Amino acid sequence: MTPPGTIRPYQPRDRAALYDICLRTGLNGADATGLYPDPELLGSVFAVPYAELEPELTFVIDNGQRAVGYILGTADTATYIRRYQKEWLPTLTDRFPEPHGEPTTPDERIRSFLHHPERILHPELADYPAHLHIDLLPSHQGGGFGRALINRFLGTLRERGIPGVHLAMGRANHNADAFYRRLGFHELSIPAWPDILYFTQKTND
């Protein structure tokens, strides 16, 4: 039986749920609780800044009580990075200082990425300026909610005339790999990140 859930635009009251969902799906789709001393670190990089900077591209699955899944992202990655560095990063530098030396723990790797978001800019992705993140709690996986969120996000990009979108995921996340391929995303190789899979899709086809 499919659990209850409806798609709606993000609201500020969903912020805590975004942190929670991001953490509980942050280990290649599995629960990352316990890997990070501050449970809001992952969400501070991969979820909440998008909702703050581009709320019009943030949608959630609501089960009647709270958000249990989301899709969020940006229409233009380069512009988003500039805004992130100017408006979002300064609010977190004291809470999440940049690690010294080469990162060796999951916490250090994410904190390093938080301070250097420009790492996600690659010339190979020029035709796919938008990018997205999607996560759902286990209770709402496999029931068609992920597909519905993707369709809502892509439809919004089309309305705005955005030509293409990309996403990145760990190679170990085999369920997500199969999910994106079923939805028509195509793998794009970026040699600089051998442990990361990139998927792209044109939005104006």
Side-chain angles (χ1 to χ4, degrees), residues 137-156:
L137 293 181
S139 62
H140 283 69
Q141 295 175 10
F145 294 109
R147 179 184 291 271
L149 284 172
I150 290 284
N151 288 339
R152 179 71 173 267
F153 191 89
L154 294 182
T156 304

Side-chain angles (χ1 to χ4, degrees), residues 15 19 23 36-46 48-49 84 88-100 106-116:
R15 182 172 172 139
Y19 282 119
L23 181 64
Y36 306 97
D38 190 318
E40 292 189 352
L41 174 59
L42 278 183
S44 295
V45 179
F46 300 115
V48 176
Y84 173 101
W88 180 252
L89 182 57
T91 70
L92 297 174
T93 51
D94 291 337
R95 183 175 180 181
F96 300 119
E98 184 175 2
H100 299 292
D107 177 78
E108 288 178 345
R109 285 191 286 271
I110 297 300
R111 284 194 287 121
S112 178
F113 185 80
L114 179 147
H115 285 268
H116 295 283

Side-chain angles (χ1 to χ4, degrees), residues 17-53:
L18 263 56
Y19 282 119
D20 178 62
I21 297 164
C22 191
L23 181 64
R24 291 169 61 189
T25 59
L27 184 60
N28 288 313
D31 194 343
T33 301
L35 285 180
Y36 306 97
D38 190 318
E40 292 189 352
L41 174 59
L42 278 183
S44 295
V45 179
F46 300 115
V48 176
Y50 295 93
E52 291 292 315
L53 298 176

Side-chain angles (χ1 to χ4, degrees), residues 37-123:
D38 190 318
E40 292 189 352
L41 174 59
L42 278 183
S44 295
V45 179
F46 300 115
V48 176
Y50 295 93
E52 291 292 315
L53 298 176
E54 295 190 54
E56 67 278 7
L57 282 175
T58 304
F59 304 96
V60 304
I61 296 291
D62 190 323
N63 69 354
Q65 297 179 319
R66 54 159 285 177
V68 292
Y70 61 72
I71 191 166
L72 40 76
T74 177
D76 184 271
T77 299
T79 300
Y80 170 80
I81 293 301
R82 289 193 293 271
R83 292 192 62 196
Y84 173 101
Q85 292 171 322
K86 181 179 179 179
E87 302 173 38
W88 180 252
L89 182 57
T91 70
L92 297 174
T93 51
D94 291 337
R95 183 175 180 181
F96 300 119
E98 184 175 2
H100 299 292
E102 188 69 21
T104 59
T105 67
D107 177 78
E108 288 178 345
R109 285 191 286 271
I110 297 300
R111 284 194 287 121
S112 178
F113 185 80
L114 179 147
H115 285 268
H116 295 283
E118 69 278 1
R119 293 174 183 171
I120 69 173
L121 293 171
H122 303 287

Side-chain angles (χ1 to χ4, degrees), residues 153-181:
F153 191 89
L154 294 182
T156 304
L157 292 181
R158 291 188 190 101
E159 292 171 359
R160 298 174 63 174
I162 307 303
V165 62
H166 70 272
L167 60 93
M169 50 160 273
R171 286 187 178 272
N173 195 342
H174 302 298
N175 289 335
D177 184 326
F179 169 73
Y180 295 126
R181 294 181 194 276

